[in-house]
Amino acid sequence: MDVPFWNKEIETADRSRLEAIQLERLRETVGWALKTPFYQKQLRQAKISSADDIRSLADLRKIPFTTKDDLRLNFPRGLLAVDMKDVVRIHSSSGTTGIPTVIYYSKEDIDNWTDMLARCLFSTGVTSRDVFQNMMTYGMFTGGLGMHYGAERVGMAVIPMGGGNTKRQIKTMKDFGTTAIHVTPSYLLHIHTKLEEAEVKREDLVLKKAFTGAEPHSEDIRKKIERIWNIDAYNSYGLSELNGPGVAFECVYKNDMHLWEDGYIVEIIDPDTGEPVRDGDSGEVVLTNLIRRATPMLRYRTRDLAYLHTDPCPCGRTHRRLSRIMGRTDDMLIINGINLFPSQIEEVVMRIPEVATNYIIQVEKRGDLDHLTVKVEIYPKLFLGDPSQLEALKGRITEELRSAIILHPTVELHEPNSLPVSEGKAKRVIDLRPKE
Amino acid sequence: MKLTQISVFLENRKGRLYDVCSLLGKTGINIRALTIAETETFGVLRIVVDKSDLAIQTLRKNNFVANLTDVVAIEVGDKPGGLAEILKVFADNDVNVEYMYGFVEKFSDNALLVFRFEDTDNATKILADKGVKVVTRKEIEGL
Ligand SMILES: [Zn+2]
């Protein structure tokens, strides 16, 4: 296989070289961080008062973690490390709680980030001959502009479509001969169902590659995308706290994502203890940004669960590969040894029209085993007064859950608005198992 | 003549049947006929009441999942073979009964039974042809 490199020297640098770069940049980043009120406090706790207190990469572990809440509490300027005259871009996210977070970028920060993205895109084999349609939302979300800049740097012809307007997306792909797109996996699946409506045939399109991101998805979804579209789909990982897209990206081998270790230090920790897991084990991804001056980020707890591959990739890159995101630390359940995310259950019950929007996942001990019960509220308009209809519905939900999550749950049907709701936000998981 | 049956979804929760009955009672609605189809984890209550419009409004307003179904109430001679006579009419005319149940109280010497047919319109036509006495809406309301 032809393996293209954007920066071969760095992408194939041996570990000692990578670690030397990391140490140098970590010291620099700590220096920047000490200019912010938030990190002054954090680093003082760790008895770090200057970059000189970081003597080896092991010293990283002296630094306390940074959490999303820290960013919220220090909104809007608590993590700003440069004068506003040196800021050229602001990205922000509103988040579900309503308190926003903000990230500032200097000119050099944007340049570094863009270069990482060019590296990502180039590693999949795109070149300046490609036509790139960016279907991610622009605006404050990093997925739009970030990838736009990276694609331009590769020299692709960039079509800044943004999200939505499916028919127009399809027509645009046809009109301009789009060969590569940046898109969420669910939207890419959706577009396929609209081809006919847009009166465009697959053969009218020259699409070859999709870069999927912004939502965790399974290998099955990738395979489905590749099959129905007959394209190559590459997984990507990023978050605005760590610049945005381009933290990790799949190369031509598509066997999980090279995480650029000259730009980011990755740790995988046990989310309960904060201690590192064994090599290759899964845990929470913690990232330190080494290439952003305006908003430094040290040991950021992403709450994403994943693992690092320990075997090398045939492409020759030395940067380790991050697995697909398996879920979020805030919501994972372990039931009879099987990892389960409420989102997996949500996915199943939400595609059944007879189910209303509320559901509860309950776990309890029955003997030695964990037992899972999924309670759903029925949708009143679809109740026909017939118990056999409801029995059939229950059977259908049970079967669909069983095939999606391996576990065999008990399904209970409930009346609308009967399941407990707390503080306006539905409480989804009730774990009745005794705590050890 | 068709009557309106109300089906109410009851989750398997203590006192839910009582909730329905007391709510209707407080609203001045009389239950004429009643049956419960139960499964392991939920039930469906079926009732025929004197004021079905008011009943369904009241139930829905109180967040019960309720739906309307057409049924027919038939007077059956309260004597040996009374029911068999009726069922023979159905059998001879290919009328399929989905389920049936009895009234709570009698209002004549005859027993009253509620029938749910696969094809209600066809069934009422045949009953009329055969001269079987069915209960009218007025009778249910004034019972
Ligand atoms: Zn590779």
Side-chain angles (χ1 to χ4, degrees), chain A residues 378 380 383-387 390-391 394 411-418, chain B residues 7-11 13 16 37 39 41-42 44 46 63-67:
Chain A
I378 66 170
F383 170 63
L384 303 175
D386 182 2
L390 296 175
E391 275 296 332
K394 209 175 94 170
V411 171
E412 281 181 16
L413 303 181
H414 287 262
E415 295 171 28
N417 306 312
S418 66
Chain B
S7 307
V8 188
F9 172 71
L10 294 177
E11 62 179 43
R13 182 146 53 98
R16 212 54 190 144
T39 76
T41 54
F42 64 88
V44 173
R46 291 163 170 154
N63 294 318
F64 284 98
V65 178
N67 204 327

Side-chain angles (χ1 to χ4, degrees), chain A residues 3 250-256 258 313-317 321:
Chain A
V3 180
E250 285 187 324
C251 71
V252 282
Y253 285 95
K254 296 190 289 192
N255 54 3
D256 282 340
H258 289 284
C313 181
C315 72
R317 286 181 181 81
R321 278 145 39 238

Side-chain angles (χ1 to χ4, degrees), chain A residues 31 50 77 108 115 181 214 310 351 397:
Chain A
S50 84
R77 299 236 173 158
E108 199 188 348
D115 208 63
I181 55 177
T310 49
R351 63 174 181 239
I397 300 171

Side-chain angles (χ1 to χ4, degrees), chain B:
Chain B
M1 173 130 209
K2 287 183 275 189
L3 295 177
T4 301
Q5 165 190 272
I6 298 173
S7 307
V8 188
F9 172 71
L10 294 177
E11 62 179 43
N12 198 358
R13 182 146 53 98
K14 220 169 128 191
R16 212 54 190 144
L17 176 60
Y18 168 78
D19 292 343
V20 175
C21 295
S22 77
L23 173 67
L24 294 178
K26 266 190 289 185
T27 321
I29 293 164
N30 289 305
I31 296 174
R32 300 300 191 205
L34 164 152
T35 186
I36 298 176
E38 244 183 322
T39 76
E40 228 173 282
T41 54
F42 64 88
V44 173
L45 170 72
R46 291 163 170 154
I47 48 176
V48 176
V49 299
D50 53 352
K51 301 179 204 80
S52 55
D53 290 346
L54 177 63
I56 189 106
Q57 273 171 30
T58 307
L59 286 167
R60 286 187 176 156
K61 207 160 56 191
N62 286 275
N63 294 318
F64 284 98
V65 178
N67 204 327
L68 303 174
T69 317
D70 287 333
V71 292
V72 177
I74 297 173
E75 273 189 47
V76 179
D78 199 4
K79 57 174 197 237
L83 177 61
E85 259 172 52
I86 296 288
L87 294 178
K88 186 166 185 316
V89 172
F90 298 149
D92 291 347
N93 293 281
D94 284 333
V95 173
N96 287 323
V97 177
E98 285 187 358
Y99 53 84
M100 51 176 278
Y101 55 98
F103 266 54
V104 178
E105 52 200 325
K106 280 168 78 166
F107 75 116
S108 72
D109 286 342
N110 293 336
L112 285 178
L113 291 175
V114 176
F115 285 86
R116 165 69 183 166
F117 299 107
E118 207 174 79
D119 181 346
T120 310
D121 291 331
N122 181 46
T124 45
K125 209 169 102 308
I126 287 161
L127 289 168
D129 288 351
K130 303 290 166 192
V132 176
K133 166 112 177 62
V134 302
V135 181
T136 65
R137 183 176 282 255
K138 249 208 177 74
E139 285 171 316
I140 286 287
E141 284 167 3
L143 214 62

Side-chain angles (χ1 to χ4, degrees), chain A residues 35-97:
Chain A
K35 294 188 166 50
T36 72
F38 170 69
Y39 277 119
Q40 276 164 18
K41 208 170 59 206
Q42 291 274 98
L43 292 169
R44 199 183 309 132
Q45 260 181 45
K47 301 200 163 55
I48 295 169
S49 55
S50 84
D52 294 337
D53 293 324
I54 303 292
R55 289 182 197 89
S56 71
L57 281 178
D59 287 339
L60 176 70
R61 288 189 51 203
K62 291 183 192 163
I63 301 173
F65 294 116
T66 302
T67 66
K68 186 115 190 158
D69 282 338
D70 292 328
L71 303 193
R72 290 198 186 105
L73 290 169
N74 290 279
F75 180 85
R77 299 236 173 158
L79 279 84
L80 175 61
V82 300
D83 194 285
M84 273 305 280
K85 79 171 169 43
D86 295 321
V87 171
V88 300
R89 175 93 63 82
I90 296 173
H91 280 290
S92 172
S93 77
S94 55
T96 45
T97 59

